Amino acid sequence: IKDCSYIFVEEVIDTKSLNIFRRVTGLDAGESEAIILSDKLKASILLMDEVKGRQVAKQMGIQIMGTIGMLLAAYRSEVLSKQEILQYINILKVSGRHISDKLYEQLIEKLDS
């Protein structure tokens, strides 16, 4: 990741606006910073799983994608196999990440189509 030219650290400079955004939305610092930076940079997509953060981002017109969407994109790009994705989903579940049965079933359907 350190050698990847398109992944870089960007900081929110306007901490006053960040604090106001956090108080208004009830989001934590990480989600708030990600949304503010996505908006500021006119990012094509924001990677976020947290439900409340996704709702706020959608209300702001920001396109979002979560972990499942990233895995599906990797599968469609032939970066990951179906077996690898199922393995990673299992690892996420075992480590405490909640993935609804409905979302899991939708993923399986898309992997099989």
Short mmCIF file of all heavy atoms in Angstrom, two decimals, residues 1 3 14 33 35 37 48 50 54-55 59 64 76 78 83-84 93 97:
data_model
loop_
_atom_site.label_atom_id
_atom_site.label_comp_id
_atom_site.label_asym_id
_atom_site.label_seq_id
_atom_site.Cartn_x
_atom_site.Cartn_y
_atom_site.Cartn_z
N ILE A 1 0.84 -1.20 0.00
CA ILE A 1 0.00 0.00 0.00
C ILE A 1 0.87 1.25 0.00
O ILE A 1 0.55 2.22 -0.66
CB ILE A 1 -0.97 -0.01 1.20
CG1 ILE A 1 -2.03 -1.09 0.98
CG2 ILE A 1 -1.62 1.34 1.39
CD1 ILE A 1 -2.98 -1.27 2.12
N ASP A 3 3.59 1.81 -1.43
CA ASP A 3 4.15 2.07 -2.76
C ASP A 3 3.09 2.38 -3.81
O ASP A 3 3.42 2.64 -4.96
CB ASP A 3 4.99 0.87 -3.22
CG ASP A 3 6.18 0.64 -2.32
OD1 ASP A 3 6.69 1.62 -1.73
OD2 ASP A 3 6.62 -0.52 -2.21
N ASP A 14 -9.84 21.73 8.22
CA ASP A 14 -10.83 22.54 8.93
C ASP A 14 -11.44 21.73 10.08
O ASP A 14 -12.54 21.18 9.96
CB ASP A 14 -11.90 23.01 7.95
CG ASP A 14 -12.87 24.01 8.56
OD1 ASP A 14 -12.79 24.27 9.77
OD2 ASP A 14 -13.71 24.52 7.80
N GLU A 33 -14.57 12.36 8.92
CA GLU A 33 -13.44 12.78 8.08
C GLU A 33 -13.55 12.19 6.68
O GLU A 33 -13.30 12.87 5.68
CB GLU A 33 -12.12 12.37 8.73
CG GLU A 33 -11.79 13.19 9.95
CD GLU A 33 -10.51 12.74 10.64
OE1 GLU A 33 -9.88 11.76 10.20
OE2 GLU A 33 -10.14 13.39 11.62
N ILE A 35 -16.21 11.28 5.01
CA ILE A 35 -17.29 11.94 4.26
C ILE A 35 -16.87 13.34 3.85
O ILE A 35 -17.05 13.74 2.69
CB ILE A 35 -18.60 11.95 5.08
CG1 ILE A 35 -19.14 10.52 5.21
CG2 ILE A 35 -19.63 12.88 4.45
CD1 ILE A 35 -20.28 10.38 6.19
N LEU A 37 -13.85 14.55 3.44
CA LEU A 37 -12.81 14.49 2.41
C LEU A 37 -13.36 14.02 1.07
O LEU A 37 -12.96 14.52 0.02
CB LEU A 37 -11.66 13.59 2.86
CG LEU A 37 -10.75 14.20 3.93
CD1 LEU A 37 -9.78 13.15 4.46
CD2 LEU A 37 -10.00 15.40 3.37
N MET A 48 -17.20 2.67 2.71
CA MET A 48 -17.70 2.75 4.08
C MET A 48 -18.73 1.66 4.34
O MET A 48 -19.60 1.43 3.50
CB MET A 48 -18.32 4.13 4.33
CG MET A 48 -18.82 4.32 5.75
SD MET A 48 -19.41 6.00 6.07
CE MET A 48 -17.88 6.90 6.08
N GLU A 50 -20.20 1.40 7.78
CA GLU A 50 -21.02 1.84 8.89
C GLU A 50 -22.34 2.40 8.38
O GLU A 50 -22.36 3.31 7.55
CB GLU A 50 -20.24 2.89 9.70
CG GLU A 50 -20.70 3.04 11.12
CD GLU A 50 -21.79 4.08 11.28
OE1 GLU A 50 -21.96 4.95 10.43
OE2 GLU A 50 -22.49 3.99 12.30
N ARG A 54 -23.07 5.68 6.02
CA ARG A 54 -23.55 5.47 4.64
C ARG A 54 -24.79 6.31 4.37
O ARG A 54 -24.93 6.90 3.30
CB ARG A 54 -23.84 3.99 4.40
CG ARG A 54 -22.60 3.12 4.36
CD ARG A 54 -22.94 1.64 4.36
NE ARG A 54 -23.60 1.20 3.15
CZ ARG A 54 -22.99 0.58 2.15
NH1 ARG A 54 -21.70 0.30 2.22
NH2 ARG A 54 -23.66 0.20 1.08
N GLN A 55 -25.70 6.38 5.35
CA GLN A 55 -26.92 7.17 5.18
C GLN A 55 -26.59 8.65 5.01
O GLN A 55 -27.14 9.31 4.14
CB GLN A 55 -27.85 6.97 6.38
CG GLN A 55 -28.45 5.59 6.46
CD GLN A 55 -29.18 5.33 7.77
OE1 GLN A 55 -28.99 6.02 8.76
NE2 GLN A 55 -30.01 4.30 7.77
N GLN A 59 -27.18 10.98 1.65
CA GLN A 59 -27.93 12.23 1.70
C GLN A 59 -27.15 13.38 1.09
O GLN A 59 -27.72 14.32 0.56
CB GLN A 59 -28.32 12.57 3.14
CG GLN A 59 -29.37 11.65 3.71
CD GLN A 59 -29.62 11.91 5.18
OE1 GLN A 59 -28.85 12.60 5.86
NE2 GLN A 59 -30.69 11.35 5.70
N ILE A 64 -21.33 5.43 -2.51
CA ILE A 64 -20.62 4.62 -1.53
C ILE A 64 -20.51 3.17 -1.97
O ILE A 64 -21.29 2.70 -2.81
CB ILE A 64 -21.32 4.67 -0.15
CG1 ILE A 64 -22.78 4.25 -0.28
CG2 ILE A 64 -21.20 6.03 0.49
CD1 ILE A 64 -23.45 3.96 1.00
N ARG A 76 -15.41 -9.68 -10.01
CA ARG A 76 -15.75 -9.34 -11.39
C ARG A 76 -14.52 -8.96 -12.21
O ARG A 76 -14.49 -9.14 -13.42
CB ARG A 76 -16.80 -8.23 -11.42
CG ARG A 76 -18.16 -8.72 -10.97
CD ARG A 76 -19.19 -7.64 -10.97
NE ARG A 76 -20.50 -8.19 -10.67
CZ ARG A 76 -21.52 -7.47 -10.22
NH1 ARG A 76 -21.38 -6.17 -10.03
NH2 ARG A 76 -22.68 -8.04 -9.97
N GLU A 78 -11.74 -10.37 -11.72
CA GLU A 78 -10.94 -11.60 -11.68
C GLU A 78 -9.68 -11.47 -10.83
O GLU A 78 -8.66 -12.11 -11.08
CB GLU A 78 -10.62 -12.09 -13.10
CG GLU A 78 -11.87 -12.40 -13.89
CD GLU A 78 -11.59 -12.89 -15.30
OE1 GLU A 78 -10.41 -12.92 -15.72
OE2 GLU A 78 -12.56 -13.28 -15.97
N GLN A 83 -14.13 -18.79 -4.18
CA GLN A 83 -13.66 -19.45 -2.96
C GLN A 83 -12.92 -18.49 -2.05
O GLN A 83 -13.10 -18.51 -0.83
CB GLN A 83 -12.76 -20.64 -3.33
CG GLN A 83 -12.37 -21.50 -2.14
CD GLN A 83 -13.59 -22.08 -1.42
OE1 GLN A 83 -14.56 -22.49 -2.03
NE2 GLN A 83 -13.54 -22.11 -0.10
N GLU A 84 -12.09 -17.62 -2.62
CA GLU A 84 -11.36 -16.64 -1.81
C GLU A 84 -12.33 -15.67 -1.13
O GLU A 84 -12.19 -15.35 0.05
CB GLU A 84 -10.36 -15.87 -2.67
CG GLU A 84 -9.17 -16.69 -3.09
CD GLU A 84 -8.31 -15.98 -4.12
OE1 GLU A 84 -8.87 -15.40 -5.09
OE2 GLU A 84 -7.07 -16.02 -3.94
N LYS A 93 -16.69 -12.54 9.45
CA LYS A 93 -17.71 -12.95 10.41
C LYS A 93 -17.08 -13.43 11.72
O LYS A 93 -17.53 -13.07 12.80
CB LYS A 93 -18.60 -14.04 9.82
CG LYS A 93 -19.60 -13.54 8.81
CD LYS A 93 -20.49 -14.68 8.34
CE LYS A 93 -21.64 -14.19 7.52
NZ LYS A 93 -22.60 -15.24 7.20
N ARG A 97 -17.36 -8.98 12.49
CA ARG A 97 -18.06 -8.09 11.56
C ARG A 97 -19.44 -8.67 11.26
O ARG A 97 -19.55 -9.84 10.94
CB ARG A 97 -17.30 -7.96 10.24
CG ARG A 97 -16.00 -7.21 10.32
CD ARG A 97 -16.20 -5.72 10.53
NE ARG A 97 -17.04 -5.11 9.53
CZ ARG A 97 -16.62 -4.66 8.35
NH1 ARG A 97 -15.36 -4.75 8.05
NH2 ARG A 97 -17.46 -4.13 7.51
#
